[in-house]
Amino acid sequence: MNATTNPILSLEAAHELLGHARSACAQRGFAATIAITDAGGHLRAFERADAAPFLTAEVAMDKAWTAASFGMSTHQWNHYMSEPMVAPLGQHPRLMAVGGGVPILLDGKLAGGIGISGGTSVQDHEAAEDALRALGLLA
């Protein structure tokens, strides 16, 4: 049997990433919810800003889950949803085809996902990438 293991994003690294994401959102001028998962899509770190709408909590978690589950950014799903063979995946209750979810890579291998919700989809995506870039976790 050939088992593949994903690198583990430590809790300390997840919290450090959370801090960078918070700063990236503040620089863009919006209050956000930030979710960080491991490679299996399980929540590792989470925070919702006082001024962030409550719906952003679920959206951020689903963005992180989607990024981790497929190893690709959530904004890419908008393009895939127009393909008839892929479109049925849009019915999955956790699939979030909105920008702001980005995979976390450690040594080029999938270690999890980050999901940001609170700004526009472009702001969410850019803030997630900035946070990952600050820690060298972006491809």
Side-chain angles (χ1 to χ4, degrees):
M1 177 182 252
N2 194 5
T4 303
T5 58
N6 292 50
I8 296 172
L9 181 70
S10 71
L11 185 58
E12 182 179 336
H15 281 280
E16 188 176 355
L17 180 57
L18 195 66
H20 284 287
R22 184 185 318 114
S23 295
C25 294
Q27 288 172 359
R28 286 168 175 75
F30 68 94
T33 298
I34 304 157
I36 298 169
T37 69
D38 62 16
H42 305 286
L43 196 58
R44 195 77 176 119
F46 176 85
E47 80 174 29
R48 182 172 68 89
D50 292 339
F54 69 86
L55 179 61
T56 61
E58 188 173 330
V59 171
M61 287 188 282
D62 288 348
K63 286 180 181 184
W65 181 87
T66 301
S69 66
F70 284 93
M72 64 184 206
S73 295
T74 55
H75 75 277
Q76 294 174 279
W77 279 99
N78 284 307
H79 306 291
Y80 294 125
M81 289 298 112
S82 64
E83 296 177 26
M85 298 301 288
V86 178
L89 284 174
Q91 300 303 312
H92 190 284
R94 292 209 62 191
L95 184 78
M96 187 57 61
V98 177
V102 181
I104 299 170
L105 301 176
L106 281 171
D107 300 323
K109 294 184 179 178
L110 183 67
I114 181 171
I116 296 178
S117 181
T120 67
S121 63
V122 171
Q123 288 174 319
D124 292 348
H125 179 80
E126 289 174 350
E129 283 194 336
D130 283 355
L132 291 168
R133 196 174 292 112
L135 294 178
L137 301 174
L138 184 67

